[in-house]
Amino acid sequence: MSYPIIKSTVIALVILFTGCSQPENKTQLQKPDFKKETLTQSIQPGDDFFRYVNTNWMDSNPIPDDKSRFGWFDILLENNRNKLKTLFAEAAKGSKEKGSVAQKIGDFYASGMDTLAIEKEGLANIQFILDQITQINSPIELAKTIGYMHSLQLNPLFYYYASADEKNSTINIAGIYQGGLGLPDRDYYLEDDDASIEIRAAYHAYLEKVLSFSGEDEASSEVNAKQIITFEKLLAEASYTRLKNRDPHLTYNKIKGEELNTEYPGINWNAYFEGLGHETPKEVNVNQTAYLKELENLISNQDLNTWKSYLKALTIRSLSAYLSSSYVNAHFELYGKVIQGKEMMEPRWKLVQGVTGNALGEAVGQLFVERYFPPEAKQRMEVLVENLRIGFAQRIDQLEWMSADTKIAAKDKLNAIKVKIGYPNKWRDYSGLDIEPNSYVSNVLASNRFDFAYSMNKIGKPVDTEEWHMFPQMVNAYYSPTGNEVVFPAAILQPPFFYLDGDDAVNYGAIGVVIGHEMTHGFDDQGAKYDKHGNLSTWWTAEDSAKFATRTQVLVEQFNQYQIKDTVYANGELTLGENIADLGGLNISYAAYQTAIKDKGDIVDIDGLNHKQRFMISYANIWAQNIRDKEKLRRTKTDVHSLGEFRVNGALRNFDAFYKTYELTENSQMFLNKESRVNIW
């Protein structure tokens, strides 16, 4: 629905948990569910701290059939869904004045819930796209159709989008980023492990089904499905790996828009932009140059019938969730069951709510904030962020491996970090989006057009520093390298992770670590390549960069040793940025916590746990989750975040305070010699 953030505008999407300092006039603390009795005494904390803290929780919270994992994040997501359900019901009963927010939310949601109408319409309301694909008779028509599909956010071959120029972060430019695959990652097409083979076979079966549903006979469906997978394998072979795409220098290749025709002549760019409905941009960043060059060979060597089959299948696949039940069920069988391991689909109201909330994101967010986000939460978050900023500065001062000049530059960047909490200062205008009650897929396409035009309108204009790239009702958070900002949406600033009158140790172990995590992203292996203004430029000394690389490589090797399943191990290089941020968040928040309690004297035990234990247990507790094997494998291949258990044990084993608090010995399974521990931020 809303246009995807393709470039690393968002480096980290994490689970955010909030907290606050204990008010002096309170005698009764709000507390989390953990206490000494809930910890697993049969497991030594120095052997497996994740399971020492979370085993009882995991045993009591099995994965629901409609989920691929289940943790605190999912609980909060479900709580938010119920709140939004109330808001949507009120919107549906409220003013039906054409063009009002209530009308748009109510009619969009109602169109998604009207399954009888959806079954009856079949493919009728996307037939205009399929007809244009059928009528392609030349490379020019092909390029024009690809452009038209991009304007609907169907995105064959690549994404075309707007974002800040990474070397001039005050201006938006156009960007081109590889895409167009039906499977979640290029490696699924290229690797021969059992999971990849199973998924490719399931994808072939899926394509046969949807082509058959669309009217093709059995023989044609089988042949065309095979051709599509062969074609997409060629795209996969040309695509950069996720590791390569993490390098912002490699993916920064700005040229003049008019040079597309000479540098990448495989596509008729004039026809493409005609189909797109927008002018050729003055400047464009080509993220993957080798990929775009390879498209010339594909266009030259693939006949138009293969292209038509690919575009048709991509259209139906992209819109399957909004079509009749046969398409919805086939989509779930592949992407839900086979790839993620889910056993059943979520209730339809949840699915439709998510689509509606995405299509009218800030309109829904405004209603959510008015009802559920108290001003006190924002005020307390602002205090906590500044405490963490002070703690981070203290850590920088104490770094023995960094030179004085680089420390000054690092603190300049730290002080320049902007903080956005709760919701935007100005709300987006949805008056130009027309929503009708009679067709779900038509409303989705209307929203896609609206969002794409919104994105295109940014190109060549100054970056709006007030804009958010995440809706207030989303359970998430992010750091933007080009904006040098941390952003915490309202939806996550609430129970069960926000203890308004909570214990400092618990709050700094949860929200404090998360704040520190996000700040550290400005200084991880990729974020550190951007200066305080958000520009891709060097501000380190060469010697400091070399020392940093040496330390981060140790972290890579540590995480490479974690076994996922059978012969599959964690990818320490892919997850390096997140692992740096987890470790940095722990160190920074712990430093801030020490400052917060320095004048409080002795801190009392609570539920049999001292305050240092509560800090660390709180950190481990927020990552409590159960996860299916298939989802573990998928995330290991596609996710830059480590699995929850490794985020806990992998960070804590490098955290000196953990050793002192739990008196680890050389016999402890998490033990690392002092010289082997990673100390970066």
Side-chain angles (χ1 to χ4, degrees):
M1 292 291 293
S2 63
Y3 201 70
I5 298 171
I6 304 303
K7 191 61 180 170
S8 297
T9 302
V10 176
I11 276 190
L13 300 178
V14 302
I15 304 173
L16 172 62
F17 304 87
T18 70
C20 59
S21 299
Q22 175 187 352
E24 296 299 326
N25 62 342
K26 296 290 183 179
T27 57
Q28 183 68 37
L29 292 178
Q30 291 183 334
K31 298 185 296 184
D33 290 334
F34 64 77
K35 51 188 175 181
K36 188 172 183 179
E37 290 74 17
T38 66
L39 304 174
T40 306
Q41 302 303 319
S42 62
I43 299 175
Q44 292 298 312
D47 289 342
D48 186 341
F49 198 70
F50 175 81
R51 285 178 173 77
Y52 168 70
V53 173
N54 296 321
T55 294
N56 287 333
W57 186 96
M58 294 163 67
D59 290 344
S60 301
N61 291 275
I63 307 174
D65 290 345
D66 61 357
K67 295 198 170 22
S68 58
R69 69 171 185 177
F70 191 66
W72 283 117
F73 173 86
D74 305 279
I75 291 173
L76 184 50
L77 176 61
E78 291 303 309
N79 290 346
N80 282 341
R81 281 173 158 175
N82 287 319
K83 291 175 180 177
L84 289 174
K85 188 176 186 181
T86 299
L87 293 177
F88 280 28
E90 291 175 357
K93 294 178 182 177
S95 170
K96 285 296 183 178
E97 179 184 353
K98 180 65 175 175
S100 67
V101 168
Q103 177 265 316
K104 294 178 193 221
I105 293 174
D107 284 352
F108 200 118
Y109 183 76
S111 71
M113 295 302 292
D114 190 353
T115 54
L116 291 178
I118 293 170
E119 293 294 327
K120 184 177 180 180
E121 76 178 37
L123 297 178
N125 286 314
I126 67 167
Q127 193 61 48
F128 68 100
I129 307 171
L130 302 178
D131 288 345
Q132 181 161 334
I133 293 170
T134 300
Q135 293 163 14
I136 295 173
N137 56 23
S138 68
I140 290 178
E141 286 296 320
L142 173 62
K144 187 176 180 180
T145 299
I146 290 171
Y148 179 64
M149 291 176 69
H150 279 184
S151 74
L152 299 173
Q153 294 191 24
L154 299 178
N155 301 319
L157 300 182
F158 56 86
Y159 298 93
Y160 182 75
Y161 64 102
S163 69
D165 184 336
E166 300 207 338
K167 291 191 176 180
N168 181 14
S169 61
T170 62
I171 297 295
N172 286 305
I173 62 170
I176 293 174
Y177 197 101
Q178 69 185 29
L181 299 178
L183 293 176
D185 188 81
R186 66 184 292 280
D187 290 351
Y188 285 113
Y189 296 87
L190 308 177
E191 295 183 352
D192 288 325
D193 57 278
D194 291 344
S196 296
I197 292 171
E198 177 193 7
I199 288 170
R200 283 199 297 272
Y203 184 42
H204 185 278
Y206 167 76
L207 289 172
E208 282 193 55
K209 283 182 184 178
V210 297
L211 292 174
S212 176
F213 296 157
S214 72
E216 294 187 13
D217 60 43
E218 183 177 344
S220 296
S221 297
E222 182 177 0
V223 169
N224 289 336
K226 186 178 296 184
Q227 287 180 337
I228 291 165
I229 291 179
T230 300
F231 176 79
E232 289 185 6
K233 183 179 179 182
L234 295 174
L235 290 181
E237 290 171 340
S239 298
Y240 289 16
T241 65
R242 288 179 183 263
L243 287 177
K244 290 180 71 173
N245 284 329
R246 290 192 72 239
D247 185 347
H249 290 293
L250 180 65
T251 56
Y252 185 82
N253 307 283
K254 186 172 73 171
I255 61 174
K256 295 184 183 301
E258 62 191 27
E259 293 176 328
L260 285 169
N261 284 313
T262 54
E263 294 293 320
Y264 307 99
I267 295 177
N268 186 310
W269 292 100
N270 293 333
Y272 170 80
F273 285 110
E274 181 183 350
L276 194 73
H278 291 272
E279 297 179 349
T280 302
K282 291 183 179 180
E283 296 178 318
V284 58
N285 182 52
V286 178
N287 287 266
Q288 298 85 12
T289 55
Y291 174 82
L292 209 57
K293 285 184 179 296
E294 182 60 25
L295 293 187
E296 182 174 3
N297 294 328
L298 291 178
I299 290 176
S300 300
N301 297 327
Q302 299 294 322
D303 63 46
L304 287 179
N305 286 332
T306 299
W307 278 101
K308 290 179 184 181
S309 294
Y310 165 70
L311 295 178
K312 176 183 178 181
L314 183 143
T315 298
I316 295 174
R317 168 173 56 79
S318 300
L319 298 173
S320 284
Y322 324 117
L323 299 174
S324 59
S325 59
S326 57
Y327 294 99
V328 173
N329 293 335
H331 191 273
F332 174 74
E333 286 292 320
L334 172 64
Y335 295 99
K337 281 190 176 180
V338 176
I339 295 179
Q340 292 185 281
K342 295 179 180 179
E343 297 182 7
M344 64 181 292
M345 203 181 310
E346 288 185 320
R348 185 166 184 87
W349 72 265
K350 292 183 180 180
L351 300 174
V352 176
Q353 181 194 89
V355 175
T356 306
N358 202 22
L360 292 151
E362 287 194 15
V364 173
Q366 192 168 3
L367 297 178
F368 183 90
V369 166
E370 289 172 356
R371 177 71 60 87
Y372 298 114
F373 188 61
E376 295 82 2
K378 184 168 186 174
Q379 294 164 8
R380 292 184 182 280
M381 275 292 293
E382 289 169 347
V383 171
L384 276 165
V385 169
E386 292 312 308
N387 286 345
L388 269 291
R389 201 192 300 265
I390 293 169
F392 201 161
Q394 292 171 346
R395 290 285 303 175
I396 291 172
D397 285 334
Q398 295 165 7
L399 295 177
E400 51 86 15
W401 61 270
M402 180 176 282
S403 68
D405 288 344
T406 303
K407 285 182 180 180
I408 292 172
K411 288 198 290 186
D412 281 347
K413 181 172 183 180
L414 173 65
N415 291 331
I417 291 178
K418 298 184 289 292
V419 180
K420 296 177 178 176
I421 298 170
Y423 53 89
N425 291 327
K426 59 180 181 181
W427 296 99
R428 185 174 167 188
D429 179 10
Y430 288 87
S431 60
L433 174 59
D434 188 31
I435 298 298
E436 301 290 344
N438 54 354
S439 173
Y440 188 35
V441 73
S442 294
N443 285 332
V444 169
L445 289 171
S447 172
N448 287 357
R449 283 193 206 94
F450 179 74
D451 277 355
F452 187 78
Y454 179 77
S455 177
M456 293 299 97
N457 191 48
K458 300 175 186 178
I459 294 175
K461 296 179 181 178
V463 170
D464 181 358
T465 59
E466 295 296 315
E467 184 180 18
W468 282 46
H469 300 291
M470 198 171 280
F471 302 135
Q473 68 274 23
M474 292 184 71
V475 185
N476 230 314
Y478 68 91
Y479 170 81
S480 166
T482 54
N484 192 26
E485 63 183 12
V486 290
V487 182
F488 302 100
I492 198 108
L493 309 179
Q494 57 178 315
F497 306 108
F498 175 39
Y499 302 101
L500 184 60
D501 302 320
D503 169 37
D504 278 333
V506 169
N507 287 324
Y508 276 90
I511 179 59
V513 174
V514 173
I515 295 170
H517 172 109
E518 293 301 340
M519 286 181 167
T520 305
H521 271 308
F523 305 86
D524 68 18
D525 64 312
Q526 301 305 325
K529 296 176 181 177
Y530 297 81
D531 64 20
K532 66 180 181 180
H533 302 295
N535 292 318
L536 193 57
S537 65
T538 301
W539 52 272
W540 297 59
T541 66
E543 184 179 1
D544 287 336
S545 293
K547 290 178 179 178
F548 178 80
T550 298
R551 289 167 182 263
T552 59
Q553 184 58 35
V554 176
L555 202 61
V556 169
E557 292 167 2
Q558 285 184 14
F559 276 80
N560 282 342
Q561 296 172 11
Y562 288 120
Q563 186 177 24
I564 306 300
K565 188 175 185 291
D566 300 328
T567 60
V568 179
Y569 286 79
N571 188 333
E573 193 171 358
L574 178 63
T575 58
L576 178 58
E578 296 299 326
N579 298 334
I580 291 171
D582 282 340
L583 180 55
L586 271 171
N587 281 309
I588 292 161
S589 186
Y590 195 71
Y593 174 61
Q594 300 307 309
T595 300
I597 65 173
K598 67 179 180 179
D599 296 325
K600 293 192 175 182
D602 293 336
I603 308 296
V604 299
D605 292 357
I606 299 177
D607 291 330
L609 301 168
N610 68 48
H611 66 112
K612 294 179 181 179
Q613 292 172 329
R614 296 198 301 273
F615 177 97
M616 294 167 202
I617 292 170
S618 181
Y619 173 69
N621 180 65
I622 65 177
W623 295 112
Q625 63 177 233
N626 286 299
I627 183 169
R628 300 187 192 279
D629 284 347
K630 287 186 175 181
E631 181 69 351
K632 285 183 180 180
L633 294 172
R634 183 187 74 83
R635 287 180 178 273
T636 299
K637 197 182 291 285
T638 65
D639 196 351
V640 296
H641 302 83
S642 295
L643 297 177
E645 63 179 293
F646 306 139
R647 297 188 77 159
V648 174
N649 293 345
L652 286 174
R653 70 197 304 240
N654 291 289
F655 184 45
D656 288 343
F658 176 61
Y659 287 74
K660 297 175 184 177
T661 300
Y662 285 97
E663 300 179 344
L664 268 67
T665 70
E666 292 184 1
N667 294 323
S668 302
Q669 293 180 24
M670 290 175 62
F671 182 86
L672 287 172
N673 291 322
K674 182 78 171 176
E675 311 80 57
S676 301
R677 297 173 208 164
V678 178
N679 180 23
I680 303 175
W681 296 108

